[in-house]
Amino acid sequence: MAGDDVTVSNGATDASGIERDRRLILDARAKGPLATLGAYTRLSGPGWLQGAITLGGASLAGSLYLGVLGGFSLLWLQPLAMIMGIIMLSAIGYVTLSTKERPFQAINNHVNPVLGWGWLIATLMANLVWSLPTIGLATAAVRQNLLPGVVGADALPDNLGKSIACVSITLICVTVVWFYDTGRKGVKIFETILKLMVGVIVVCFFGVVVKMSLAEGGLDWKRIFGGLVPDLKLLFSPANTFAPYIAEVDARFQDFWRNHIVSQQRDVMVTAAAAAVGINMTVLLPYSMRKRGWDKNFRGLAIFDLSTGLFIPYILTTGCVVIAAATQFHTQPARGFLGERDQAGVVIQPAKNLMGPYGEVAGARILYEVGDKAFAGMTEEEKSRQIESLMENLPSADKRMAAMLVKRDAFNLAQSLTPLTGSIIAHYIFGIGVVGMAMSSAIILMLINGFVVCEMLGIPSRGWPYRIGCLMPCVGALGPFVWTGGKAQFWLMIPTSMFAMVVLPIAYFTFYLLMNQRSLLGENMPRGGRRVLWNALMAVAAGLAAFGSIWSLWSKMRWVGIGGITTFVALALVVHFVRSGKPSPVAAEKR
């Protein structure tokens, strides 16, 4: 059995520090709300770690494409997803702080080992999948926004520039993670660094929106606040703002554009929801609390910590990105694809990174016109001639739609903001925000992986096994070299986040069941109206997560995906019935 994860110093448990924190909270409560608020502010930490990982590349990508596709009409989605996530994280925190059992052991002993192992394995997989685009995003931001003259494409050969930026970023992340394994003081340094990074991220993106609101024309705040009202029709139809442009398209091809927009909208909505609270955050919270030595006296602090360190920074940052993207890109064709000219009469050239994505969208429209069966029957030469001919003669209305829906990224957004905010804010402040999001997320992915590996091995999360586990997400350093070419690499956050949504219900339903285990919680189990409220809120959150998971599986894998989740559930049920006839490990120990 793994040992306790309470922070260690010089090989001994720092019990005096934990008792000092507990006494600080109890004394503050006796003095009143203001004193309690001050104590909570001083002791906060794990909630800010949650903020550091959720404000990562996936949240940035989700926010960007929500703005591109939905304009202001999808501003409601991320706050709703975060509220559902905080409900589950609060339940996880309650269970963790109410019992001395480690979460993995508690799940295996009191619920089902299939769910326990599924929870850890899914988290490990999600970490490794997410690490690839995350470090790649930070590398791209350094090369394109912050240091283009040092490691950019024009300064160094492509692979050399990538290598220098990527290795430097990875080493910085590893160094910061190392602090977490150097005792109580190291944990404090680590959490302070992450708090500062989250603060910088919020200030950068908030500053961009403030500057936009002060520019000529400003922002339409009435429409912005209107976008906070949920609109579920967007799961099945494009945003209303696309209607006049679709109406200009030949009637034969209007359904193609509607279906194309809705398909992307759904993927982005799932991504934004998955990035708000991912399955790896359900591991980070309980084990970071245990690392701090928190118990039931710290429950109020845990809720305060999640509110200030997670909810507020997330809502401010993602909301600002959606607003900026909606203002600059929604129903706005990417420049250079419609024969536009600048003030000197020179034809504007499209951004290089958008050429490939534009060809994909326009090519899909052409394939729709030709038909899959007819296209498959052509020779390669005939296909090439047909595509070239149709591409040249593509109606202007279709070209406009393709240019609107081309997959842009954060760097295109920074470029578009230059006339409004100036080059310093658009490139450097925005770039610092992007790098901060990617690096803070990469750091926490490493931290979580260390927890997961040690828990799988049944050992305390410290020492070299923990550090080796932390190093596994460094595989993300391969991201900039694996995903190359004309692809919109920023879009790669979308499919990786959809995978995370598929596995999220494992954690949600597992802790829903754990919250109702009297054998675990004993006298700490909620009763009466509180229990009804907890269960109702958790049921809504878990139900929405299950809906997103099944939707993602069906849209991408059809019956294969449904078969996979059915097999997992069936295995859990078989193990449950096999164990039901035997005494539980807890009961056996009591004997």
Side-chain angles (χ1 to χ4, degrees):
M1 185 175 73
D4 202 340
D5 269 337
V6 175
T7 305
V8 293
S9 179
N10 298 322
T13 302
D14 192 355
S16 61
I18 297 166
E19 287 303 319
R20 185 169 58 249
D21 292 347
R22 181 181 289 106
R23 178 50 52 193
L24 177 64
I25 290 175
L26 295 177
D27 290 345
R29 286 175 181 167
K31 294 177 182 177
L34 287 179
T36 303
L37 179 63
Y40 284 176
T41 302
R42 178 179 172 183
L43 297 177
S44 64
W48 288 88
L49 302 188
Q50 299 287 334
I53 188 170
T54 198
L55 288 177
S59 290
L60 180 59
S63 302
L64 174 71
Y65 292 117
L66 284 177
V68 171
L69 293 168
F72 301 131
S73 62
L74 283 170
L75 272 168
W76 57 271
L77 180 68
Q78 288 168 306
L80 177 62
M82 179 54 72
I83 290 171
M84 294 297 103
I86 285 182
I87 288 171
M88 292 307 304
L89 289 176
S90 297
I92 292 169
Y94 184 91
V95 171
T96 302
L97 300 180
S98 299
T99 174
K100 294 183 179 180
E101 282 196 57
R102 300 161 66 84
F104 180 57
Q105 294 172 343
I107 295 167
N108 289 349
N109 291 339
H110 299 275
V111 182
N112 193 306
V114 173
L115 295 179
W117 281 100
W119 177 51
L120 288 188
I121 292 171
T123 298
L124 185 69
M125 293 171 63
N127 279 354
L128 298 180
V129 168
W130 249 326
S131 69
L132 287 165
T134 297
I135 294 180
L137 176 62
T139 300
V142 169
R143 298 186 70 216
Q144 295 181 40
N145 285 66
L146 301 183
L147 299 172
V150 179
V151 292
D154 295 331
L156 292 173
D158 193 51
N159 284 337
L160 178 59
K162 284 181 181 178
S163 298
I164 293 173
C166 190
V167 170
S168 300
I169 289 166
T170 303
L171 288 176
I172 292 171
C173 293
V174 170
T175 301
V176 174
V177 171
W178 242 239
F179 279 114
Y180 205 73
D181 193 37
T182 57
R184 184 178 178 84
K185 187 175 181 180
V187 171
K188 195 68 177 177
I189 293 172
F190 177 88
E191 291 178 348
T192 300
I193 292 172
L194 267 296
K195 285 181 182 180
L196 291 173
M197 292 184 76
V198 171
V200 168
I201 292 167
V202 174
V203 169
C204 286
F205 288 107
F206 191 72
V208 168
V209 169
V210 169
K211 184 69 175 177
M212 290 176 67
S213 66
L214 296 176
E216 185 177 352
L219 294 171
D220 188 345
W221 287 103
K222 183 178 180 180
R223 287 182 59 209
I224 289 172
F225 286 116
L228 294 173
V229 179
D231 183 2
L232 298 181
K233 294 195 304 293
L234 293 172
L235 283 168
F236 309 101
S237 61
N240 292 333
T241 41
F242 279 114
Y245 303 103
I246 295 176
E248 293 178 5
V249 174
D250 188 310
R252 294 174 298 164
F253 307 117
Q254 289 182 6
D255 280 346
F256 166 80
W257 290 114
R258 290 192 189 96
N259 293 336
H260 184 82
I261 294 170
V262 170
S263 175
Q264 288 197 359
Q265 270 181 190
R266 289 172 179 170
D267 287 354
V268 171
M269 291 171 77
V270 169
T271 293
V277 174
I279 189 170
N280 44 18
M281 294 170 68
T282 66
V283 171
L284 173 63
L285 183 69
Y287 287 99
S288 60
M289 286 179 170
R290 290 183 61 83
K291 194 83 171 180
R292 291 285 293 264
W294 289 7
D295 56 23
K296 61 183 180 181
N297 296 124
F298 293 78
R299 287 176 188 161
L301 171 58
I303 295 173
F304 171 85
D305 205 26
L306 287 172
S307 300
T308 56
L310 175 58
F311 185 78
I312 295 174
Y314 176 82
I315 296 304
L316 285 176
T317 303
T318 56
C320 288
V321 175
V322 173
I323 290 170
T327 302
Q328 298 304 108
F329 290 155
H330 182 59
T331 68
Q332 299 295 318
R335 288 164 58 85
F337 292 107
L338 303 179
E340 305 98 322
R341 295 177 181 272
D342 61 19
Q343 293 180 344
V346 179
V347 175
I348 297 172
Q349 297 300 313
K352 291 181 181 179
N353 70 311
L354 299 183
M355 296 291 289
Y358 175 83
E360 290 179 8
V361 180
R365 155 63 179 80
I366 289 170
L367 183 60
Y368 181 86
E369 180 177 352
V370 175
D372 292 338
K373 189 173 181 180
F375 193 75
M378 296 179 184
T379 65
E380 291 301 318
E381 185 178 348
E382 289 173 334
K383 289 178 181 179
S384 179
R385 283 202 308 268
Q386 182 81 327
I387 291 173
E388 184 177 350
S389 173
L390 290 174
M391 190 74 81
E392 288 180 0
N393 296 293
L394 194 66
S396 59
D398 290 282
K399 288 182 178 179
R400 178 177 294 276
M401 290 299 302
M404 284 181 185
L405 298 173
V406 67
K407 294 184 177 75
R408 288 167 274 203
D409 60 25
F411 313 110
N412 299 123
L413 179 56
Q415 186 68 37
S416 73
L417 290 170
T418 301
L420 293 176
T421 63
S423 61
I424 292 178
I425 289 180
H427 287 277
Y428 292 100
I429 303 300
F430 192 90
I432 289 170
V434 173
V435 172
M437 291 183 88
M439 288 184 64
S440 65
S441 184
I443 288 167
I444 301 300
L445 288 175
M446 294 178 185
L447 180 70
I448 295 170
N449 230 66
F451 287 146
V452 170
V453 168
C454 289
E455 197 65 8
M456 285 180 166
L457 297 175
I459 59 177
S461 58
R462 54 180 179 263
W464 278 105
Y466 165 76
R467 292 182 177 182
I468 291 172
C470 290
L471 290 175
M472 289 175 65
C474 289
V475 68
L478 299 175
F481 304 95
V482 173
W483 286 322
T484 58
K487 301 175 184 177
Q489 296 187 33
F490 204 68
W491 180 261
L492 294 170
M493 284 289 183
I494 305 301
T496 54
S497 296
M498 290 189 72
F499 168 78
M501 173 56 82
V502 168
V503 297
L504 181 61
I506 296 175
Y508 277 20
F509 279 102
T510 296
F511 280 95
Y512 181 97
L513 295 172
L514 205 59
M515 189 71 166
N516 287 280
Q517 297 300 313
R518 191 175 300 278
S519 61
L520 172 66
L521 294 176
E523 63 180 14
N524 293 306
M525 187 169 176
R527 292 179 173 81
R530 289 182 65 235
R531 184 179 182 185
V532 172
L533 179 61
W534 268 115
N535 281 325
L537 292 174
M538 289 190 295
V540 173
L544 289 174
F547 173 77
S549 175
I550 294 171
W551 188 299
S552 300
L553 283 170
W554 179 254
S555 65
K556 301 302 177 185
M557 300 177 67
R558 298 294 174 179
W559 290 111
V560 174
I562 300 300
I565 196 170
T566 302
T567 301
F568 179 81
V569 172
L571 179 61
L573 289 174
V574 168
V575 171
H576 171 74
F577 287 118
V578 169
R579 283 161 49 98
S580 62
K582 301 178 182 179
S584 69
V586 176
E589 286 182 12
K590 289 181 178 179
R591 290 181 184 178

